[in-house]
Amino acid sequence: EGVLVVDAGSHKVLEANPAAQQLIGAAAGRPLVGSPFPVGFDERSSERIAEALAGVRANGAPQRLRAELADAAGELELGLSS
C-alpha cells in the first residue's frame, strides 16, 4: 500500500514509502519527495485531488476518491485526511 505525507501549506511531498514511489513516482517520471502534490496523475484527476484536499483542509473530514495515473498507467484509490 502506497503512503505519502504531504505538507498542507506547501503541497510538497515530505515522505513517500517505496510502494508509493513505485506506483506514483513511475507515472510522474521522477522521485516523489520534494515534488508538488498532486504529481503523477492525469490532469482531471489532479484537479479532483486538489479540490478534495481543499475540502479536507476546510472541514477536516476525510475523503476517498479514485484517480487516474498519468499516461494511462492505472488507477488508484486515494484516502485523504488531515
Side-chain angles (χ1 to χ4, degrees):
E1 181 171 285
V3 177
L4 297 177
V5 176
V6 179
D7 181 78
S10 69
H11 298 253
K12 294 220 182 222
V13 177
L14 301 176
E15 297 179 38
N17 73 354
Q21 181 60 52
Q22 182 178 5
L23 291 166
I24 301 169
R30 62 179 182 200
L32 291 175
V33 174
S35 295
F37 190 78
V39 61
F41 294 92
D42 70 9
E43 186 175 342
R44 182 170 180 256
S45 291
S46 292
E47 291 169 2
R48 290 180 50 235
I49 292 167
E51 290 171 5
L53 285 170
V56 170
R57 282 192 308 275
N59 62 30
Q63 295 193 32
R64 297 190 74 77
L65 68 135
R66 296 195 70 76
E68 292 286 332
L69 292 168
D71 299 328
E75 182 180 67
L76 295 179
E77 182 162 335
L78 304 177
L80 308 171
S81 62
S82 57

